[in-house]
Structure formats: structure tokens, C-alpha cells
């Protein structure tokens, strides 16, 4: 067997097998209802959720690095691509199914390329507040989208806010039997989750709902049921290539879904590492999730993703390897072949109850509270990201939320923290002055620090802040010392802007020096771009005190 195949099983011990079998049983009990519900969320037949689980789990077991990661149909990405494809084809139509499978292949190809290029750093491009916000928006989409089924009404179309208004206006049409079934499944799932995450509350709820339907004949009371699962095993096939216009609309949607997969896979790998003392090869995990999406697309299903709750179940159940996921696949196949007809007793509202539970899990209220308490104004990023996803078509809102994350990071670099430093009395330490802390000011000297690379995005801002600090100095400044310990990069444009500022200050008889430019890369860039030459000989120091001792006021006399 090639060394790269089933690498996560390398060093497997027979003593792990009982734990893996138990973990596989728990995983199947938790995942089966979730996969059926996620298929509904994706606008696909319920059996395609089971196909997605089998494809994602088997592909990751074969190619992945992480021993515990569960890869399957995911409720985070399903509403994204379902909303994006809704403008191209109606749910349930053959053309919609073709677009879903083609999108799975495109997402898989993107993840495969990202993994092969070792581009794991892409997972850091989305900040936690932005991620928390758009997940909250997705949760709202799921809950509003499932309300009609939960209440026994016909589905609503149109913008999310208008759909909610229409649903509230039709609340008198609620079918009490449908509501009782859906709410019951939701209550059981929530209650069992509070007792232990290892109790399959969703499965218990679905079985209970099915028994109620069978005993009370609730289908005669207006309760809509699932269709029996199609027992025929899927056959690998490539979907037809659509028109160029549709391909153009699929490409950005595939990138958005792939970006969410990257983010979530990275989070799962860091939360549940194979070895706590050694990080997993997350790039390999990206490629393996991509392989799972490709296999899923080939067998008529949809894109897959790493699943945080399912992975947690494997770990908490004592699972030691991907044998747990393989066991869950075998159990799912057995259910698929032996109990497919029983799905005809499962009410649609039961799946809605599970999806609303999933939405409540995605709506990370605890994380929002932590951001509000510790992140200050970053809570506004949470609100803005959620509002974009709720107010706009979900894929457009997601794209703008990602752009918002980039804009926020660029703004942090473009408007960096700049401060005038003061000496701590009785020491050689220069520090930002505190409100109640004593500090010393050296007449005729301004020590200025900035915590950012010097680039085209912020050089003019930094120069303006320097000039403002000079203008507000209590006495005429004769020496400016730029404390550069926070400068880790310098580009040509940034250097040119600062060089012009240095020349301008020299014309006003203000000497300029730099201290603590310790980063070797920044030193090389400062020399290459001409910044060191602009400072002049003997104007680069290892500390602020050295600069004052050598060229500060009274230095010549001493």
C-alpha cells in the first residue's frame, strides 16, 4: 500500500478497535438524522445526504492526516450553495441536481489545489468576529426557511425578511400536529444534548416521531412525510457541462463554499489534533476534504465539509482513528439497505426540528458575548456580517462578509497604532505614557513608535501622525527618534513617503534617527529601498538611549 494512503491509520493497534467500534456506532446515531436533514437543507433527496457522508468519510479516511476528523454533508455550507443555486434552477428539478453535483466537483477541485499548494494559511484570512457574524446569519436563514415546514404551511419564496413577515401573518394556518412533532424532536434533541453529547437525541426524536405517525395515522391529519429512500446504489457519472453563463455564476459560489470549508476544516484540525504535541498536516486535510467533495459529486451528491460536532462525538466516545468513520459508513449502508422503507414514517417537520437545533448551535451566542466583552468595537463586525447575510441573498451576503474581513484587516494596517513614547523614571525604558504612571520627557526630543509594517497603505498616515506630534510638542524638537521594533516590513512606496518626511524635517533643522529596527527582513528592505541612506550615517541605533547618548541634546558637549 502506498505510504500516503490511509496514513491516519499508520501505527494502528488492535486494542483501539473496541473503542473505534463504539465511536462509530455513536457517530452513525448522531450523523444519520443530521445527514437526512442537511440533504433537505441542500434541496436534494434525503438519500444524497447519506451518499455525502459515505463519500466524505471514506475519502478522508483514505487521504487525510487527522485521526478523528469526521467529513460529511454540513449544515453550514448547504444553505450557502442552495441559496446561490436557487436563481439558476428550482429545488428538486433534474437541472438543480446537476448544478449541485457540478458545484461539488468545483469545490473539491479548489480544495485539492489549495492542499497541494500547501496554502493552509488561507484559513487565517477570516477573523473570528466576521466568521461568527456570517454563521449567525446562516442560522437565521435556516430557522426562517424551516418555519413553514415546522408549522405545516406551504413554503414561502422571496427575500428572507419578507418571508418571515408572511409566515407570521399566516400563523393561524398552523397545523398543531405538525408543530407538535417538530417541536417535540427539537425538545428531545436539546434535552439530550444537555445531558450528554454522546446521547443521540436527534435519532431518538426521529424514531419517536415516526412511531407517533404510525400509531396515530397522522398523515391523515395533514402531516407531510418523507418518501422512502431510493435503495438503488449510486453510479459514478460526470454531470453535464452547463452554459457559460451558469459556469460564471458557479465559480464565485464555489470559491465561497471552499473558503468556508477551509476555515472549518482548519478549526476542527486545531481543536481535535491527532497528537497534542504535534500539529496535523492541515493542507493535506484540505486536499482530503476536497477529494470527498469530488467523490460526492461523482455519485450525485453535494459538497462536504469537516464537521465539528461529529468529530467531537468521535473524540468523546473514545475513538482513536478513522476506523470509527468507516464503522459509521458500514452502519449507514446497513440502514440504507434494510430500513429504507421506514423513512416513509418520518415527518418532514422532524427534520425541521433537527435543522432548527443545528441552527441554534451555529448561532454562537456565547462567542458573541465573549467578543462583546473582550473585543470592544469588533462586536460591530459580528453585527455587520450577520446583517449582510440576512438582508441579502445568502451567497452575496457571504461574499461581502468575506470582503468585510479583508477590509477590516487592511484598515488595521492602514491606520496602525502610533504613539509618542516617554522614559520610565529611573530606567532606560521608553514606554507609552499611562494615565496615572509617571514618565519623563527629554526636552528637544520626540520618540515616536508605530506597531505596523511601513507600506503604501499606511506610510502617509504615519508621516502625518509624526508631524502632528511635532506640532504639539511642548518645546521645539531637535531630534526625532523613530522606535521601529514593531516594523517587520518596508515596501518601496512606504520608504519613499518616509524619506520625503525625513527630508522635510531636516530642512526644519530636525535630526531624524531610528532605533530598534531589529527585524532582519525590515533591515534588508530599509537598505534596499534607500531608507537607511536617507537617514544618513550613524543614524541607526540599537536602543533609544543609545541614540540620545550619541546624538541627543548635549551629546557633543559630553
Amino acid at each position: 500500500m502506498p505510504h500516503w494512503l490511509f496514513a491516519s491509520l499508520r501505527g494502528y493497534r488492535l486494542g483501539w478497535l473496541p473503542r473505534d467500534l463504539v465511536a462509530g456506532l455513536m457517530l452513525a446515531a448522531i450523523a444519520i438524522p443530521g445527514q437526512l436533514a442537511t440533504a433537505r437543507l441542500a434541496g436534494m433527496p434525503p438519500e444524497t445526504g447519506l451518499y455525502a457522508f459515505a463519500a466524505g468519510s471514506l475519502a478522508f479516511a483514505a487521504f487525510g492526516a487527522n485521526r478523528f476528523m469526521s467529513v460529511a454533508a454540513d449544515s453550514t455550507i448547504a444553505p450557502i450553495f442552495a441559496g446561490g443555486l436557487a436563481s439558476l434552477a428550482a429545488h428538486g428539478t433534474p437541472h438543480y441536481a446537476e448544478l449541485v453535483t457540478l458545484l461539488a466537483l468545483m469545490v473539491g477541485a479548489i480544495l485539492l489545489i489549495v492542499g497541494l499548494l500547501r496554502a493552509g494559511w488561507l484559513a487565517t484570512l477570516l477573523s473570528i468576529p466576521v466568521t461568527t457574524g456570517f454563521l449567525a446569519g446562516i442560522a437565521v436563514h435556516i430557522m426562517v426557511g424551516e418555519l413553514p415546514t415546522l408549522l405545516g404551511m406551504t413554503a414561502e419564496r422571496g427575500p428572507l425578511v419578507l418571508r418571515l413577515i408572511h409566515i407570521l401573518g399566516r400563523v393561524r394556518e398552523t397545523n398543531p400536529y405538525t408543530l407538535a412533532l417538530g417541536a417535540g424532536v427539537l425538545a428531545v434533541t436539546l434535552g439530550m444534548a444537555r445531558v450528554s453529547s454522546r446521547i443521540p437525541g436527534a435519532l431518538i426524536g426521529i424514531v419517536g416521531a415516526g412511531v407517533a405517525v404510525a400509531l396515530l395515522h397522522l398523515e391523515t391529519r395533514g402531516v407531510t412525510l418523507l418518501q422512502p429512500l431510493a435503495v438503488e446504489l449510486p453510479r459514478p457519472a460526470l454531470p453535464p457541462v452547463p452554459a457559460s453563463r451558469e459556469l460564471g455564476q458557479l465559480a464565485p459560489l464555489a470559491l465561497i463554499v471552499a473558503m468556508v470549508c477551509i476555515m472549518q476544516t482548519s478549526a476542527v484540525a486545531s481543536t481535535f489534533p491527532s497528537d497534542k504535541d504535534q500539529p496535523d498536516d492541515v493542507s493535506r486535510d484540505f486536499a482530503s476534504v476536497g477529494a470527498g467533495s469530488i467523490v460526492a459529486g461523482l455519485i450525485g451528491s453535494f459538497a462536504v465539509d469537516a464537521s465539528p460536532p461529529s468529530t467531537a462525538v468521535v473524540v468523546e466516545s473514545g475513538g482513536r482513528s478513522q476506523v470509527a468513520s468507516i464503522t459509521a459508513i458500514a452502519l449507514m449502508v446497513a440502514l440504507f439497505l434494510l430500513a429504507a422503507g421506514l423513512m416513509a414514517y418520518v415527518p418532514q417537520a422532524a427534520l425541521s426540528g433537527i435543522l432548527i437545533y443545528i441552527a441554534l448551535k451555529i448561532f454562537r451566542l456565547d462567542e458573541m458575548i465573549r467578543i462583546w466583552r473582550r473585543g470592544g468595537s469588533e462586536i460591530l463586525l459580528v453585527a455587520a456580517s450577520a446583517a449582510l447575510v440576512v438582508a441579502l441573498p445568502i451567497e452575496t451576503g457571504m461574499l461581502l462578509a468575506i470582503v468585510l474581513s479583508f477590509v477590516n484587516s487592511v484598515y488595521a494596517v492602514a491606520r496602525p497604532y502610533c504613539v509618542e513614547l516617554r522614559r520610565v523614571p529611573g530606567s532606560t525604558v521608553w514606554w507609552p505614557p499611562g494615565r496615572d504612571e509617571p514618565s519623563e520627557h527629554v526636552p528637544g526630543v520626540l520618540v515616536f513608535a508605530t506597531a505596523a509594517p511601513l507600506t503604501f497603505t499606511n506610510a502617509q498616515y504615519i508621516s502625518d501622525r509624526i508631524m502632528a506630534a511635532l506640532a504639539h510638542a511642548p518645546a521645539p524638537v531637535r531630534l526625532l527618534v523613530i522606535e521601529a521594533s514593531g516594523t517587520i516590513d518596508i515596501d518601496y512606496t512606504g520608504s519613499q513617503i518616509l524619506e520625503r518626511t525625513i527630508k522635510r524635517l531636516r530642512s526644519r533643522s530636525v535630526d531624524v534617527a531610528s532605533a530598534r529596527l531589529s527585524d532582519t527582513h525590515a533591515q534588508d528592505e530599509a537598505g534596499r529601498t534607500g531608507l537607511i541612506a536617507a537617514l544618513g550615517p550613524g543614524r541607526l541605533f540599537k536602543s533609544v538611549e543609545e541614540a540620545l547618548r550619541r546624538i541627543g541634546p548635549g551629546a557633543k558637549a559630553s
Side-chain angles (χ1 to χ4, degrees), residues 50 137 143 153 156 165 178 192 225-226 240 289 308 313 346 359 361 413 417 461 465 481 494-495 543:
L50 305 183
M143 287 188 279
M153 303 175 182
E156 291 282 348
I165 293 173
T178 299
M192 294 300 100
L225 306 178
L226 293 179
V289 173
V313 166
V346 176
K361 298 284 287 184
V413 175
Y417 174 67
Y461 175 78
R465 292 295 302 273
V481 180
S495 175
S543 69

Side-chain angles (χ1 to χ4, degrees), residues 49-298:
L50 305 183
Y51 299 164
F53 181 89
S57 297
L58 188 59
F60 194 88
F63 305 115
N66 189 285
R67 289 183 178 273
F68 311 116
M69 188 177 295
S70 174
V71 178
D74 182 65
S75 54
T76 303
I77 61 173
I80 298 174
F81 66 73
L85 296 176
S87 62
L88 299 177
H91 289 187
T93 62
H95 186 48
Y96 178 84
E98 292 169 356
L99 293 177
V100 167
T101 56
L102 178 59
L103 184 72
L105 296 177
M106 295 171 70
V107 170
I110 293 170
L111 292 173
L112 195 60
I113 292 171
V114 168
L116 293 176
L117 293 178
R118 317 294 297 175
W121 54 269
L122 285 172
T124 64
L125 294 181
L126 293 177
S127 67
I128 291 176
V130 169
T131 301
T132 303
F134 75 62
L135 287 177
I138 290 173
V140 173
H141 270 278
I142 294 174
M143 287 188 279
V144 173
E146 292 306 314
L147 273 180
T149 304
L150 187 70
L151 300 176
M153 303 175 182
T154 55
E156 291 282 348
R157 302 293 180 189
L160 184 137
V161 176
L162 290 179
R163 277 190 283 152
L164 179 59
I165 293 173
H166 291 162
I167 291 168
L168 295 177
R170 299 171 54 199
V171 73
R172 293 182 179 178
E173 302 175 18
T174 300
N175 183 321
Y177 301 99
T178 299
L179 178 59
L181 289 169
V185 171
L186 175 60
V188 170
T189 306
L190 285 171
M192 294 300 100
R194 285 183 175 273
V195 176
S196 172
S197 60
R198 297 173 64 177
I199 299 177
L203 183 60
I204 294 172
I206 279 189
V207 171
V211 170
V213 168
L215 293 179
L216 303 177
H217 303 287
L218 295 181
E219 69 277 8
T220 63
R221 305 281 183 164
V223 174
T224 306
L225 306 178
L226 293 179
Q227 296 295 322
L229 296 181
V231 181
E232 184 180 358
L233 294 177
R235 298 177 181 178
L238 286 172
V241 179
S244 57
R245 180 185 65 84
E246 290 184 329
L247 276 177
Q249 292 180 267
L250 286 178
L253 183 60
L255 287 170
I256 292 172
V257 173
M259 191 69 186
V260 176
C261 291
I262 288 170
M263 174 203 69
Q264 192 154 294
T265 301
S266 177
V268 172
S270 61
T271 306
F272 305 101
S274 300
D275 185 346
K276 293 182 179 180
D277 298 324
Q278 183 177 357
D280 287 314
D281 185 353
V282 69
S283 293
R284 178 169 184 161
D285 290 340
F286 292 158
S288 302
V289 173
S293 285
I294 291 174
V295 174
L298 290 175

Side-chain angles (χ1 to χ4, degrees), residues 449-537:
T450 179
L454 181 69
T455 68
F456 71 96
T457 61
N458 62 21
Q460 190 59 56
Y461 175 78
I462 293 171
S463 295
D464 292 343
R465 292 295 302 273
I466 290 173
M467 300 305 295
L470 289 169
H472 290 90
V477 174
R478 292 291 171 251
L479 173 63
L480 167 67
V481 180
I482 301 175
E483 205 275 3
S485 59
T487 304
I488 59 173
D489 191 22
I490 300 172
D491 71 9
Y492 177 77
T493 305
S495 175
Q496 291 296 300
I497 292 172
L498 190 57
E499 287 175 35
R500 288 197 296 268
T501 302
I502 292 170
K503 185 177 180 180
R504 181 181 174 189
L505 292 174
R506 293 259 168 80
S507 68
R508 299 182 181 183
S509 301
V510 179
D511 200 1
V512 183
S514 179
R516 299 191 65 197
L517 183 63
S518 56
D519 187 86
T520 54
H521 174 72
Q523 291 175 9
D524 294 341
E525 293 299 304
R528 184 181 61 82
T529 59
L531 183 56
I532 292 178
L535 286 170

Side-chain angles (χ1 to χ4, degrees), residues 239-517:
V241 179
S244 57
R245 180 185 65 84
E246 290 184 329
L247 276 177
Q249 292 180 267
L250 286 178
L253 183 60
L255 287 170
I256 292 172
V257 173
M259 191 69 186
V260 176
C261 291
I262 288 170
M263 174 203 69
Q264 192 154 294
T265 301
S266 177
V268 172
S270 61
T271 306
F272 305 101
S274 300
D275 185 346
K276 293 182 179 180
D277 298 324
Q278 183 177 357
D280 287 314
D281 185 353
V282 69
S283 293
R284 178 169 184 161
D285 290 340
F286 292 158
S288 302
V289 173
S293 285
I294 291 174
V295 174
L298 290 175
I299 61 174
S301 189
F302 44 90
V304 298
D305 192 8
S307 172
S310 295
T311 305
V313 166
V314 172
V315 174
E316 292 170 6
S317 301
R320 303 302 302 272
S321 73
Q322 288 294 328
V323 170
S325 291
I326 296 173
T327 302
I329 294 173
L331 293 171
M332 196 169 283
V333 170
L335 171 74
F336 182 69
L337 295 177
L338 301 177
L342 295 179
M343 290 300 108
Y345 291 98
V346 176
Q348 296 277 5
L351 297 186
S352 292
I354 294 173
L355 288 172
I356 290 176
Y357 167 77
I358 292 171
L360 293 173
K361 298 284 287 184
I362 293 174
F363 196 93
R364 300 175 180 176
L365 183 59
D366 292 343
E367 187 71 54
M368 294 180 197
I369 294 173
R370 282 193 294 270
I371 293 171
W372 178 63
R373 290 175 176 173
R374 303 176 185 179
S377 61
E378 289 187 85
I379 191 64
L380 297 176
L381 291 174
V382 178
S385 300
L388 286 170
V389 175
V390 168
L392 300 172
I394 190 168
E395 74 282 1
T396 305
M398 279 290 303
L399 180 60
L400 291 179
I402 293 172
V403 171
L404 179 63
S405 182
F406 293 160
V407 169
N408 180 62
S409 61
V410 170
Y411 181 82
V413 175
R415 293 295 181 267
Y417 174 67
C418 298
V419 64
E420 178 184 351
L421 303 183
R422 299 288 181 90
R423 182 194 280 143
V424 177
S427 73
T428 60
V429 176
W430 288 77
W431 200 257
R435 290 182 178 179
D436 302 320
E437 296 177 357
S439 61
E440 295 179 349
H441 173 74
V442 177
V445 176
L446 174 67
V447 180
F448 186 88
T450 179
L454 181 69
T455 68
F456 71 96
T457 61
N458 62 21
Q460 190 59 56
Y461 175 78
I462 293 171
S463 295
D464 292 343
R465 292 295 302 273
I466 290 173
M467 300 305 295
L470 289 169
H472 290 90
V477 174
R478 292 291 171 251
L479 173 63
L480 167 67
V481 180
I482 301 175
E483 205 275 3
S485 59
T487 304
I488 59 173
D489 191 22
I490 300 172
D491 71 9
Y492 177 77
T493 305
S495 175
Q496 291 296 300
I497 292 172
L498 190 57
E499 287 175 35
R500 288 197 296 268
T501 302
I502 292 170
K503 185 177 180 180
R504 181 181 174 189
L505 292 174
R506 293 259 168 80
S507 68
R508 299 182 181 183
S509 301
V510 179
D511 200 1
V512 183
S514 179
R516 299 191 65 197
L517 183 63

